[in-house]
Structures are given as structure tokens and as C-alpha cells.
Amino acid sequence: MKSLKITSHLEVYDSLDELPREVSVLMQEAFEARDNAYAPYSEFNVGAAILLENDEVVTGSNQENASYPSGLCAERTAFFYAGSKYPGVKMKKVAISAKSLKHIVAAPISPCGACRQVMAEYEVNQDAAIELYFMGETGKILKAKSVRDLLPLIFDRNSL
Ligand code: THU
């Protein structure tokens, strides 16, 4: 038996001021998207903003449903929208922010497993890494240089 060690490198930014300007602007778009969330059940609003290679920005927010599993996270809403509106256009960066209506979210909220899987599909297909920046309502921002850093041992089309 051999052991396999998997490492991920993330970067931590203390505040929005530390981010490159292009990214802080993208995060502002995520804040605006977050305010459009439809999340009456969790009262946990999430926004995602994707910067595409053609300089367009596509945003999404979580959309809940009385039949809970029918709802969709902000990240998948944004990625599916980008994939639908701009098929084949590479995605460069995504900024994600979450805000609860019940308490201040001061720690970075990382994308759920299902969203990581969906983001991985686009990253693999475009053969170029997608940078991810994610945060709560306030506080530190985490950066991953690739979806692979959040989802090691990905299952993708190459496994089929
Ligand atoms: N949510 C997202 O939009 N993105 C995530 O990565 C985590 C969770 C949403 C789903 C649901 O509407 C609410 O947050 C609470 O889970």
C-alpha cells in the first residue's frame, strides 16, 4: 500500500482592497447578483459573477423552490446561463459572495460539491483554468487558481 497526498494551494486576501481591480469589480457584480437571490426558505443569498474571455460578465443567484431540491445554487445558475448564452466562450474568473438575512457571514463560503462538479465540466472542456474568488458578506476572500484545487480527483468525460 502506498499513500497518496493531495494538496491544494489557495490564496487569502484580507479585504476587497487587496484584490486586483478587475476582480473587485467582478465581486461587486456578485454582490448585486446576490441581492437578486430568491431564497425565502434559507434566507441565505448567494451571487456569482463570471468574467468571460469576450469580456462579458454573466451573473446568477440562488433560486429556491417550495420543493426544496428543485432549487439551484448561484454558481450553477451563472455557469448554465453562461454556457447557454455564450457557448464555447471561455470562462476566466468567477467571483462568489454569500449573505445571510439572519447573521453576518464573515467567513468565505466555498461552492458546494455539485457546483464544483458543474464548474469542473466547463473547465475541462475549455482546457483552461477558471480562477475562483469566494467570500461571505464581508471579511477575507479566498482564491483558487483552478476548480481542480477545490475538486481533486475529478470525475469527467475522460473517465467514461
Ligand atoms: N447555495 C448556493 O447558492 N451556492 C453554494 O455553493 C452553497 C449554497 C445556496 C443554495 C440554497 O439556496 C442556499 O444557498 C442554502 O443552502
Side-chain angles (χ1 to χ4, degrees), residues 39 42 44 46 61-64 72-75 109-112 115:
S42 68
F44 192 77
V46 186
S61 57
N62 52 328
Q63 300 292 312
E64 297 187 347
L72 198 64
C73 293
E75 295 90 328
I109 298 299
S110 54
C112 80
C115 289

Side-chain angles (χ1 to χ4, degrees), residues 9-85:
H9 290 278
L10 300 188
E11 291 171 6
V12 185
Y13 294 81
D14 280 332
S15 72
L16 290 168
D17 301 336
E18 261 191 32
L19 291 172
R21 173 144 174 80
E22 182 183 60
V23 178
S24 65
V25 168
L26 194 63
M27 191 60 83
Q28 292 296 336
E29 302 239 28
F31 290 171
E32 283 174 31
R34 192 186 66 192
D35 291 337
N36 291 336
Y38 173 66
Y41 306 104
S42 68
E43 299 191 331
F44 192 77
N45 294 351
V46 186
I50 307 169
L51 177 64
L52 303 176
E53 193 183 41
N54 63 4
D55 288 332
E56 293 288 340
V57 173
V58 170
T59 61
S61 57
N62 52 328
Q63 300 292 312
E64 297 187 347
N65 193 277
S67 170
Y68 291 4
S70 300
L72 198 64
C73 293
E75 295 90 328
R76 274 176 289 163
T77 303
F79 273 74
F80 289 149
Y81 180 26
S84 307
K85 190 156 188 215

